[in-house]
Amino acid sequence: EAGVAQSPRYKIIEKRQSVAFWCNPISGHATLYWYQQILGQGPKLLIQFQNNGVVDDSQLPKDRFSAERLKGVDSTLKIQPAKLEDSAVYLCASSRGGLAYGQETQYFGPGTRLLVL
Amino acid sequence: AQSVTQLDSQVPVFEEAPVELRCNYSSSVSVYLFWYVQYPNQGLQLLLKYLSGSTLVKGINGFEAEFNKSQTSFHLRKPSVHISDTAEYFCAVRGTASKLTFGTGTRLQVTL
């Protein structure tokens, strides 16, 4: 079974530029998560999708961050414009998405390391 | 809302020695508890999880953890570590209808 795929693995941009990250979850997984992991901290949930609907985006800075999962499979996360404090690893995870999703294991991709100069 | 405290940011240990990584949580509702491991430049991988039942949970790579409700703890243990266990370890908590909340991580450094 293929794991969660993410691209690119690394990205360096100037502040105020825009950037997009792509994630392809494990086949058949209905729930998809985007996390931000700042150096020295644990991952923080940005947004959770159930199929193509948003379940939780309470910690997504909506003035600059956006995410979509139009067909309920792969997803993109965009930052526009980027700030210095957006430098972090952006992790995508997926889970089966059953009724008891709180118990489910989340499977993580390798992440995209973003550096904003 | 729930939170997780990992008391040690770094734990150095010699190979073949035992290790315990500490995790305490706070929550006003019943929770599920998880330990994840992150190797350099990789995503997180689940080591083990506590959902209900036996308070002693066994995971992969010889790790185990014990859920202690009265002390609100979920410490991770391994009786004999290997060099390959060097990684960052994250404790996480989740309520039945809430998001997964991670601690700040503990860096386990195994040396010869």
Side-chain angles (χ1 to χ4, degrees):
Chain A
E1 176 178 79
V4 177
Q6 290 188 247
S7 67
R9 291 296 310 276
Y10 305 92
K11 191 74 177 178
I12 301 174
I13 61 173
E14 303 267 338
K15 61 182 179 183
R16 291 188 288 273
Q17 286 186 324
S18 63
V19 63
F21 313 126
W22 175 81
C23 171
N24 194 29
I26 292 173
S27 178
H29 279 195
T31 309
L32 186 147
Y33 309 82
W34 282 103
Y35 288 88
Q36 179 191 58
Q37 185 178 18
I38 293 173
L39 187 64
Q41 299 181 21
K44 181 185 81 171
L45 179 70
L46 292 176
I47 189 166
Q48 175 186 341
F49 291 95
Q50 181 73 11
N51 296 308
N52 60 352
V54 176
V55 174
D56 184 350
D57 64 355
S58 58
Q59 298 190 108
L60 186 73
K62 298 180 185 65
D63 58 333
R64 298 183 300 105
F65 286 65
S66 64
E68 60 183 16
R69 194 186 183 198
L70 294 177
K71 296 183 179 179
V73 181
D74 57 347
S75 175
T76 56
L77 175 70
K78 297 178 182 178
I79 308 175
Q80 183 179 11
K83 293 185 175 181
L84 297 177
E85 59 261 35
D86 298 331
S87 294
V89 176
Y90 291 85
L91 295 164
C92 180
S94 70
S95 65
R96 293 190 187 280
L99 290 176
Y101 66 82
Q103 302 181 16
E104 293 180 345
T105 297
Q106 293 185 23
Y107 296 86
F108 285 79
T112 296
R113 189 174 298 270
L114 174 67
L115 179 61
V116 182
L117 301 175
Chain B
Q2 55 257 350
S3 65
V4 178
T5 301
Q6 292 185 245
L7 298 166
D8 306 299
S9 59
Q10 294 187 61
V11 173
V13 63
F14 289 111
E15 192 176 36
E16 297 183 4
V19 70
E20 178 180 83
L21 306 184
R22 297 181 292 169
C23 172
N24 287 88
Y25 70 93
S26 66
S27 176
S28 57
V29 298
S30 295
V31 295
Y32 307 121
L33 294 157
F34 305 79
W35 274 100
Y36 280 85
V37 61
Q38 186 175 33
Y39 298 102
N41 297 317
Q42 295 186 27
L44 282 73
Q45 178 184 6
L46 181 71
L47 277 176
L48 48 79
K49 60 183 177 181
Y50 171 78
L51 303 180
S52 65
S54 173
T55 57
L56 183 62
V57 181
K58 293 190 182 299
I60 62 171
N61 301 341
F63 284 93
E64 64 181 31
E66 185 155 19
F67 171 59
N68 188 319
K69 188 174 183 179
S70 63
Q71 296 186 10
T72 60
S73 68
F74 191 54
H75 300 333
L76 181 71
R77 301 187 185 99
K78 187 170 182 178
S80 176
V81 296
H82 301 286
I83 289 285
S84 59
D85 293 323
T86 295
E88 190 88 18
Y89 292 79
F90 291 94
C91 181
V93 61
R94 188 172 193 178
T96 53
S98 62
K99 59 181 172 285
L100 194 61
T101 300
F102 287 88
T104 52
T106 297
R107 170 79 177 161
L108 177 64
Q109 181 67 51
V110 182
T111 56
L112 295 172

